[in-house]
Amino acid sequence: MVTRRLPPLRALEAFMRTVRLGSARAAAEELNLSPSALSRRIANLEEFVGKKLFTRARQAMALTDEGHQFYEAVNPHFEALARAVEGQSDNLSLLRLRLGVLPLFGSQRLFPHMAQLRKLHPLLHIDIDTGPHLEDRVGDTLDAAIILSRGPERGLHAVRLDENKVHAICSAEVAQRVGNHPDEAVLAKQTFLIHNELPDSFVAWKDAIGMRDLDPSAIDHYDSGQLMLEAAAQGLGIAIMHDDHLRRADDDRLHELFDLDVDSPYSYWFVCKPIALESRPVRLFHDWLVKAGL
């Protein structure tokens, strides 16, 4: 049997970390190397594969086309190797991720798949935080978060998880009272339920029915989508929410008002600091989330 020659693993690690961090200087600091030592390791890898992986100009390094191809080919196997070692080692400690999640996303979309994640990465454990201002706490008290946003702040690594439609959701009794077609006089007498952090959803819905200046008798504000759904089911008002939440709730008490196609200003996003992707817990969760398509 022919024994294949393995690539220099330290050089491969230097290459992978440089690509993921987007900076040779940051990669050198992470690996506790001097910039010249990092450059030598990458040069050794280039010599091994016989390809120029980076272009070098002063202190900047950019992937060549062959470098991109090499990364795309190697990255899945690099992660598979890490998982294999992780699964066979009794000495590795738990991998801990501090994740911010909105409760409704957690209950409807994340938790139904957590057993699959645990089976794939048994050492990965997640501390769940459903507190306020998740985006502001990423990089501080949180490693990463799943947020509802028009678009995350610059400087964050962000992955858009969906696009949604805005629906008006209520009980059967309220739906019967409101009728099948928008009537401003009738709607003005209703109570609307609005999420504190998603006010523009109501604006988009009013625009869609041609009633931008609609002034309902009351607007009740919530900081929980789960409670909004329950309040709507109990007949306490009309919840302005995403169609996805209505579908996933699968609650016969809930009904949609009118037949409208209203684009939501907001989407769910996974966010973290770019450097956090070098943290194995963040990377494992990020890659699983994107692949799972929750």
Side-chain angles (χ1 to χ4, degrees), residues 15 20 22 27 32 41 46 48 62 82 100 128 142 149 159 180 208 216 225 232 238-239 246 258 278-279:
F15 169 79
R20 289 177 179 175
N32 198 26
R41 287 192 180 182
E46 290 177 322
F48 180 88
I128 297 291
L142 298 174
S149 172
V159 178
N180 296 325
I238 300 170
L246 174 63
F258 318 135
E278 275 304 299
S279 163

Side-chain angles (χ1 to χ4, degrees), residues 59-78:
Q59 294 184 350
M61 297 177 67
L63 276 176
T64 62
D65 289 343
E66 288 185 324
H68 278 290
Q69 294 172 4
F70 182 78
Y71 176 78
E72 293 299 327
V74 169
N75 183 51
H77 303 287
F78 194 76

